[in-house]
Amino acid sequence: MTWNPRIERIAPFRVMTLLEAAQAREAAGFDVIHLEVGEPDFPTPEPVVAAGQAALAAGHTRYTPAAGLPALREAIAAHYAEHFGAEVDPRRVLVTPGASGALLLASQLLAGPGDRVLMADPNYPCNRHFMALAGAEVDVVPVSEESGWQLDARLIERHWGERTRLAMLATPSNPTGHMLDADQLTAVADAVAARGGHLLVDEIYQGLSYDLAPLSVASISPDAFVVNSFSKYFGMTGWRLGWLLAPEAAVEPLTRLAQNVFLAASTPAQHAALAAFTPECRAILEAQREALHRRRDALLKGLSRLGLTPSLPPQGAFYLWLDISRYSHDSQAFCQRLLEEENVAITPGIDFAVQGGEHFVRIAFTTGTARLEEAVARLERFLARL
């Protein structure tokens, strides 16, 4: 059989294979600690669940407009005004089936054959893959502690080429959990604008920050494209709902794309998401953010005892990007052995980094502190045998 050759540019997400192995061990009776998948153990907040149930009971199951339920677009715009001081016309908000739907729209609008896209390395692999499916070439720029694990303005200026059309970054980032502050984000927006390019910012983990105040590029540049999601901060992973914030001129072509690609996001999920912005729900979400903050600190404390604390701790999201080069130069094998020998599931760095991923792993602090402490104890036993 012959397939579209672009499919060959899509690498497998190795963590899913590891997740299947972890679940198989669990089914066989082993006590597996899951630190591999980006999904905290919190349930969807009750106000959101209740709103979804009420929407179903009221018969809200028909299509919404392609760009989303007007009331939800207005609520998202109000969220930007209230929390980030950004005046956003609700027309500029397109509600999508998960952040993946937003990435699909943005990639199809902004990138095509012959275009080049700048991204940090490491980054979330699907970001690269969406651009590859659009026919563009991704230029991955190695980042490190020197740049705060971010694609900053200095790196953009150095690596922007004649065919570069787009720079994409994530703050807070997956897999490192690091953020750009307001000055850094302003410098990035200015660097891209000076070169006549587009800026696409993944803000999926916005709200989950511990050392810096939450920030949106929407308060800095009205020309930036912003991807966000109800999955992470809002705890609605399985509801599959996200949004894309776009400049005014892009709304019409993006709406046409949405009409043809997915028609509309889930109607019950959109009605449920309206409750995510209520004070009652906000209190629950902030309590969960504080719990993640405590989990991060507990994990860092445990790793410090092993001499493995990163010199630049994660500032947001719920991930820690850990250098294991003292012990292994094969992160895939390292994670496989850790699972088989100590029943701790973490993610190999090669899922995220084109260069150097074999020296890193990603640990998701998505379970309680007691389980994190047990995971560190198991990791200590494992490292002692290497």
Side-chain angles (χ1 to χ4, degrees):
M1 299 290 289
T2 301
W3 313 117
N4 183 334
R6 290 180 187 171
I7 298 299
E8 299 306 315
R9 298 170 62 186
I10 309 304
F13 206 5
R14 295 171 184 86
V15 67
M16 300 313 294
T17 301
L18 191 134
L19 174 61
E20 290 176 10
Q23 291 171 334
R25 290 187 67 80
E26 216 165 26
F30 292 96
D31 176 29
V32 176
I33 301 178
H34 290 277
L35 307 177
E36 77 278 39
V37 179
E39 186 173 34
D41 55 354
F42 308 126
T44 296
E46 180 54 34
V48 174
V49 174
Q53 292 170 334
L56 289 170
H60 294 311
T61 57
R62 303 180 70 84
Y63 294 132
T64 69
L69 192 70
L72 183 56
R73 298 169 75 189
E74 292 168 5
I76 293 169
H79 173 72
Y80 280 102
E82 178 182 357
H83 296 285
F84 309 111
E87 295 300 321
V88 173
D89 187 331
R91 274 182 34 82
R92 294 175 51 208
V93 178
L94 291 91
V95 181
T96 58
S100 296
L103 283 165
L104 177 61
L105 294 184
S107 63
Q108 293 301 311
L109 181 75
L110 299 174
D115 295 329
R116 305 197 75 89
V117 179
L118 291 184
M119 288 187 194
D121 187 28
N123 67 31
Y124 182 56
C126 294
N127 294 343
R128 302 193 301 269
H129 297 160
F130 272 113
M131 297 302 167
L133 285 174
E137 298 290 334
V138 176
D139 293 318
V140 291
V141 179
V143 296
S144 64
E145 291 184 358
E146 181 184 356
S147 64
W149 291 108
Q150 283 285 351
L151 182 63
D152 61 14
R154 176 181 55 86
L155 290 172
I156 288 173
E157 291 164 358
R158 181 186 304 170
H159 292 276
W160 196 278
E162 290 184 3
R163 292 166 53 198
T164 307
R165 177 176 174 82
L166 172 69
M168 182 177 181
L169 54 92
T171 178
S173 69
N174 177 10
T176 72
H178 292 92
M179 300 173 61
L180 291 168
D181 63 26
D183 290 342
Q184 292 169 322
L185 200 51
T186 299
V188 164
D190 289 345
V192 172
R195 287 156 180 78
H198 294 293
L199 176 61
L200 175 61
V201 183
D202 169 353
E203 294 183 351
I204 291 170
Y205 295 91
Q206 184 188 65
L208 294 176
S209 58
Y210 314 115
D211 301 323
L212 297 173
L215 175 69
S216 175
V217 72
S219 64
I220 292 170
S221 172
D223 295 324
F225 291 78
V226 183
V227 172
N228 211 320
S229 173
F230 285 97
S231 290
K232 306 304 180 181
Y233 176 74
F234 295 101
M236 296 177 63
T237 50
W239 299 76
R240 307 311 304 132
L241 201 65
W243 72 84
L244 176 65
L245 177 60
E248 178 65 34
V251 171
E252 189 277 329
L254 285 169
T255 303
R256 275 190 281 125
L257 275 171
Q259 290 167 347
N260 284 275
V261 173
F262 50 72
L263 191 61
S266 162
T267 299
Q270 292 188 64
H271 281 275
L274 287 169
F277 299 106
T278 62
E280 179 187 7
C281 191
R282 183 80 182 186
I284 296 170
L285 297 172
E286 281 299 295
Q288 292 177 352
R289 183 184 66 82
E290 286 299 326
L292 287 168
H293 193 170
R294 291 191 295 271
R295 292 176 180 186
R296 182 202 69 164
D297 291 350
L299 179 60
L300 289 172
K301 181 180 178 181
L303 291 173
S304 176
R305 181 166 52 83
L306 306 186
L308 282 173
T309 305
S311 59
L312 192 62
Q315 301 150 315
F318 35 70
Y319 306 116
L320 187 144
W321 186 240
L322 189 65
D323 186 345
I324 58 163
S325 57
R326 286 167 46 190
Y327 298 98
S328 176
H329 299 293
D330 185 343
S331 59
Q332 176 83 22
F334 182 94
C335 292
Q336 191 66 41
R337 279 192 60 187
L338 180 61
L339 175 62
E340 292 173 354
E341 296 179 22
E342 292 291 348
N343 295 300
V344 176
I346 59 177
T347 308
I350 54 174
D351 259 350
F352 304 96
V354 175
Q355 301 179 40
E358 65 275 13
H359 300 142
F360 287 85
V361 295
R362 188 193 74 175
I363 301 177
F365 43 95
T366 49
T367 191
T369 54
R371 294 290 278 171
L372 289 172
E373 289 165 358
E374 171 62 20
V376 170
R378 296 183 189 185
L379 177 61
E380 183 175 22
R381 288 198 302 263
F382 175 72
L383 295 179
R385 296 194 297 269
L386 294 181

